Amino acid sequence: MIVLTQIEDVRAHLRAERLAAAKEGKELQVGFVPTMGYLHDGHASLLRSARMDNDLVVLSIFVNPIQFGPNEDLDRYPRDRDKDMALAKREGVDIVFLPTVEEMYPEPTKTKVLVSELTDHLCGATRPGHFDGVTTVVSKLLHIVVPNRAYFGQKDAQQLAVITQMVKDLNMDLEIIPCPIVREEDGLALSSRNVYLSPEERQAALVLSRSLRQAEQLARQSEGATAEDIFQELVRTIETERAAQIDYAEIRRFPSLAPVSGSLPVKEIEGKILIAIAVKFGATRLIDNVILTMEGDK
Ligand code: PAF
């Protein structure tokens, strides 16, 4: 495993690897996993998929300042370089790209990549500018690595939808591979931000997966349950937890993120629906979701 901090070194290394493969008559397949570090088993599952599908796996670790709002957790975002390196090695990463902020943004960027509509609601509503920062840095990283496949967790379902749209709209020549949410045994979705939770808040945060499980059950088992019924059930369950402060709870189509009609029985909906929540426990805001394929799709 090699660790590179300079964009030019990543390019030179990949160029050499591609040339070596081409000399043997092969096209090198490059898998890319962009992260902000503080890696956990969710990231490990992305790396494992990348390892299986590709000849070479690139992991980037970069806490991207332009996707954090002024009152967000950029300064205290958790970092643990040694643990990250150990996990990367264990998962068979070939190249770790570890740029500094100066390397990625030698001057304030005058060019931004903005995806409209999909970014207006859900996390986009409470984190203005967040997705512009994400799509800008992800396109920079994709231009640096030029992978055949890039891997994103479904835990950030909106991010996944936004990046998939960006790649399609800009004719970027790669495949976006979605990977399922990884949970603790008790249901809590893995997130680098879980480290902020006090023991009491961590216990309270179990209401996220519990409420989604109940919503899913209602959607699947109850014949005439409408989106409005599921929404009410979701909110009712979250509100049983006193420490939980709802930022949003929404049901939308996936991946278009278009709203669903509240009065329509969800079983009749064609395609996938996303049930997404963002909830604050003390100062920590956590997100979770479930994506369902309804019977209307069969
Ligand atoms: O999901 C993340 O960790 C970040 O948003 C990403 C995609 C690495 C961009 O900074």
Side-chain angles (χ1 to χ4, degrees):
M1 183 172 91
I2 61 166
V3 180
L4 302 172
T5 57
Q6 308 290 306
I7 295 168
E8 265 325 303
D9 291 346
V10 174
R11 290 207 163 119
H13 192 88
L14 285 166
R15 214 179 294 128
E17 293 279 352
R18 286 196 174 98
L19 201 64
K23 276 189 184 147
E24 290 178 18
K26 293 184 211 140
E27 193 199 334
L28 188 80
Q29 297 294 305
V30 177
F32 178 44
V33 179
T35 77
M36 300 206 298
Y38 211 70
L39 305 178
H40 50 63
D41 278 352
H43 298 111
S45 80
L46 304 181
L47 291 169
R48 238 164 273 160
S49 296
R51 186 69 282 168
M52 280 202 304
D53 301 342
N54 301 281
D55 303 312
L56 194 136
V57 174
V58 182
L59 161 73
S60 68
I61 299 178
F62 178 62
V63 182
N64 174 37
I66 70 163
Q67 71 184 72
F68 289 78
N71 300 316
E72 294 184 358
D73 55 345
L74 173 62
D75 294 338
R76 65 179 190 127
Y77 197 81
R79 292 164 165 88
D80 189 339
R81 225 20 42 99
D82 292 347
K83 205 167 142 238
D84 286 352
M85 290 304 142
L87 187 145
K89 221 174 209 164
R90 195 184 74 210
E91 298 304 337
V93 169
D94 297 295
I95 301 177
V96 184
F97 178 40
L98 205 68
T100 58
V101 174
E102 293 68 37
E103 179 68 6
M104 288 298 281
Y105 302 109
E107 56 185 84
T109 182
K110 295 187 187 72
T111 305
K112 282 195 173 175
V113 178
L114 313 184
V115 175
S116 63
E117 291 176 41
L118 272 71
T119 55
D120 289 345
H121 39 70
L122 300 170
C123 291
T126 36
R127 304 188 68 190
H130 166 68
F131 285 112
D132 304 347
V134 170
T135 42
T136 300
V137 81
V138 170
S139 21
K140 281 166 75 74
L141 290 165
L142 292 176
H143 280 105
I144 295 164
V145 177
V146 197
N148 300 80
R149 295 170 197 86
Y151 297 77
F152 292 87
Q154 188 204 295
K155 161 114 175 327
D156 297 293
Q158 188 176 16
Q159 171 171 281
L160 174 62
V162 167
I163 287 170
T164 305
Q165 187 70 43
M166 172 188 84
V167 164
K168 188 170 153 206
D169 286 346
L170 296 181
N171 304 99
M172 292 179 165
D173 191 13
L174 81 152
E175 216 183 320
I176 297 297
I177 313 280
C179 298
I181 298 178
V182 179
R183 298 179 181 280
E184 303 270 14
E185 245 168 52
D186 60 10
L188 185 68
L190 296 191
S191 160
S192 304
R193 290 189 167 98
N194 289 348
V195 72
Y196 298 148
L197 299 168
S198 70
E200 297 74 30
E201 287 166 349
R202 197 201 168 289
Q203 187 60 30
L206 296 180
V207 78
L208 296 172
S209 53
R210 193 163 65 241
S211 64
L212 289 169
R213 261 198 320 271
Q214 284 177 10
E216 176 174 356
Q217 228 165 29
L218 186 64
R220 288 196 190 284
Q221 288 168 5
S222 165
E223 259 329 299
T226 62
E228 181 60 28
D229 296 334
I230 293 167
F231 170 77
Q232 295 294 346
E233 169 79 4
L234 190 62
V235 171
R236 207 167 25 242
T237 312
I238 301 171
E239 284 178 344
T240 59
E241 184 47 71
R242 280 182 52 208
Q245 202 190 325
I246 300 179
D247 177 356
Y248 66 73
E250 291 203 37
I251 302 171
R252 287 183 174 263
R253 290 176 188 275
F254 188 86
S256 71
L257 305 184
V260 297
S261 150
S263 56
L264 197 70
V266 284
K267 279 202 168 172
E268 290 175 19
I269 294 174
E270 279 180 27
K272 291 181 174 153
I273 60 165
L274 166 73
I275 308 178
I277 53 181
V279 179
K280 274 181 107 176
F281 300 89
T284 306
R285 179 180 173 281
L286 298 180
I287 55 172
D288 200 350
N289 70 78
V290 62
I291 296 175
L292 306 176
T293 306
M294 301 316 297
E295 283 171 9
D297 207 30
K298 286 178 189 158

